[in-house]
Amino acid sequence: MIEVRGKQIDTLYSESEIASAVERVAAEVAANSSNDLLVVSVLKGSFVFAADLIRALHRAGVAPEVEFITLSSYGAGTIGGEVRIVRDIESDVQGRQVLLVDDILESGRTLKYARDLMLERGAARAEIAVLLDKRMRRKSEIEADHVGFDCPDYFVVGYGMDVGHAFRELPFVGRVVE
């Protein structure tokens, strides 16, 4: 447990554990990747994981094109809140292998929307890679193809994930202890 900005943070996944998981996920992706792999990072939370994964893919001999998409769920008070595109990708996905990268898979609504969108646009394949999977929170019928860790039911911060715009910079994943 460490103190950051007056808050106690319990480490769930250390920097070295994350690095090992990123290398493992990259090896899984590389084993089945095509020459026209398009990595689509779902912003904001995935930016650190996506950057590390892209570098690990390079080390595994894969040179993907990289894009970013920003999606927002609104109607949070409504069951099944609607997902909308805030910032779209610019690349054509027709006939390509797409790897959607996100920090965490919880309800699944956003990633299901993103995967369905890529397939509707003609992607040959749309896989999902997440650092963390909270299966107990799933609301949509979707599973990740590549998972760094199965995550317990905690609100997590660090490694790109935040609470109130804080703690994204931490090199590990932890939970704020109240």
Side-chain angles (χ1 to χ4, degrees):
M1 186 135 13
I2 65 166
E3 184 172 322
V4 180
R5 283 178 266 185
K7 300 279 187 183
Q8 293 294 317
I9 303 193
D10 182 30
T11 301
L12 296 175
Y13 306 106
S14 70
E15 195 170 354
S16 62
E17 289 171 318
I18 292 169
S20 293
V22 169
E23 292 296 327
R24 176 179 46 77
V25 169
E28 290 173 8
V29 171
N32 295 310
S33 71
S34 61
N35 290 334
D36 64 347
L37 177 64
L38 173 63
V39 171
V40 178
S41 175
V42 181
L43 297 177
K44 292 182 184 172
S46 72
F47 78 99
V48 176
F49 176 47
D52 285 350
L53 183 59
I54 291 161
R55 288 190 295 265
L57 285 168
H58 168 76
R59 288 189 293 276
V62 179
E65 183 180 342
V66 180
E67 277 276 12
F68 302 91
I69 191 167
T70 306
L71 301 171
S72 174
S73 294
Y74 61 94
T78 331
I79 296 196
E82 201 169 330
V83 178
R84 68 181 175 87
I85 300 170
V86 176
R87 181 194 182 281
D88 205 347
I89 64 172
E90 297 171 0
S91 297
D92 182 8
V93 301
Q94 182 69 41
R96 297 184 72 184
Q97 177 189 1
V98 175
L99 178 67
L100 294 160
V101 177
D102 209 351
D103 54 350
I104 189 165
L105 175 53
E106 289 186 82
S107 77
R109 286 186 196 111
T110 303
L111 280 169
K112 181 174 183 342
Y113 176 88
R115 186 189 64 194
D116 290 350
L117 179 66
M118 296 300 122
L119 293 172
E120 285 168 16
R121 290 178 176 177
R125 202 164 74 197
E127 293 184 350
I128 296 171
V130 294
L131 180 66
L132 305 175
D133 191 354
K134 284 189 183 179
R135 286 181 170 83
M136 75 290 295
R137 292 282 182 180
R138 203 77 82 244
K139 304 286 187 219
S140 294
E141 291 291 322
I142 189 166
E143 296 298 327
D145 300 283
H146 310 281
V147 176
F149 302 97
D150 286 320
C151 186
D153 196 13
Y154 296 130
F155 187 87
V156 293
V157 298
Y159 200 70
M161 295 169 279
D162 73 325
V163 60
H165 305 290
F167 307 118
R168 284 193 196 273
E169 77 284 358
L170 299 176
F172 60 88
V173 173
R175 67 181 182 103
V176 178
V177 180
E178 299 297 326

